[in-house]
Amino acid sequence: SVYSIIFVPRKMSDNRDFCRSSHASTLGVNLDAIGDVEQYDQLSGDFLSLLQSNDHFDVIFKVEGQLFHAHRVLLAARCKYFDAMLYGSMKEALDAEKGEPIEIPDTTASAFQVLLEYIYTGKVLLSDLSEQVSHYFHSNVT
């Protein structure tokens, strides 16, 4: 048996859509099948949109003078380095609590952007990464 489940966005009291999507989503579900429903691409895209929108951020990083807005809980869940930095006893945890930008030295703004996008989406374009590594070594090794 195959059933369709339709998710219809509801309006909140101030007439904004409850869901980000303004259209109904349909998910076909075969109840006789064994397995899971997977929405990895949608989830990855939603997290990338969250990063790019700067909505609901609670930490700011500063790299080469450029500000990056992010979400501590997501960074900590995906990366032990950020977990220790943002929720441990490091100075950066205090800066984040106060809303002060956390300086990230020894990297480029574009490399940090690639890192954030990877953390949020689980995806990275190897061509972007290759460019960053090449640029870093030419700038710092020669």
Side-chain angles (χ1 to χ4, degrees):
S1 302
V2 176
Y3 296 89
S4 291
I5 301 171
I6 300 175
F7 299 97
V8 180
R10 302 278 184 211
K11 296 288 183 182
M12 296 189 338
S13 61
D14 62 357
N15 213 27
R16 290 182 294 142
D17 285 329
F18 182 73
C19 298
R20 286 193 185 277
S21 174
S22 60
H23 59 278
S25 300
T26 303
L27 172 65
V29 179
N30 181 349
L31 296 180
D32 297 327
I34 298 174
D36 298 325
V37 176
E38 296 178 357
Q39 295 279 320
Y40 297 123
D41 286 337
Q42 180 68 40
L43 182 63
S44 176
D46 290 345
F47 280 142
L48 181 60
S49 294
L50 180 65
L51 176 65
Q52 292 171 338
S53 73
N54 293 331
D55 287 344
H56 313 294
F57 70 90
D58 60 357
V59 65
I60 303 170
F61 295 98
K62 189 173 185 179
V63 183
E64 294 185 321
Q66 185 174 340
L67 299 179
F68 295 88
H69 299 88
H71 309 85
R72 291 187 306 160
V73 69
L74 199 147
L75 294 173
R78 299 269 297 135
C79 178
K80 289 181 189 272
Y81 171 79
F82 284 115
D83 185 31
M85 174 192 282
L86 300 171
Y87 290 102
S89 58
M90 297 173 70
K91 174 192 173 298
E92 290 84 357
L94 297 173
D95 290 345
E97 285 291 327
K98 293 187 245 177
E100 296 175 9
I102 298 171
E103 295 270 350
I104 304 292
D106 302 325
T107 191
T108 64
S110 56
F112 192 72
Q113 180 68 39
V114 169
L115 173 66
L116 286 178
E117 288 178 8
Y118 172 72
I119 290 171
Y120 274 70
T121 67
K123 299 178 184 179
V124 66
L125 291 175
L126 294 179
S127 59
D128 289 349
L129 190 59
S130 176
E131 262 180 54
Q132 298 309 319
V133 169
S134 176
H135 174 72
Y136 178 80
F137 280 111
H138 287 303
S139 298
N140 295 298
V141 176
T142 57

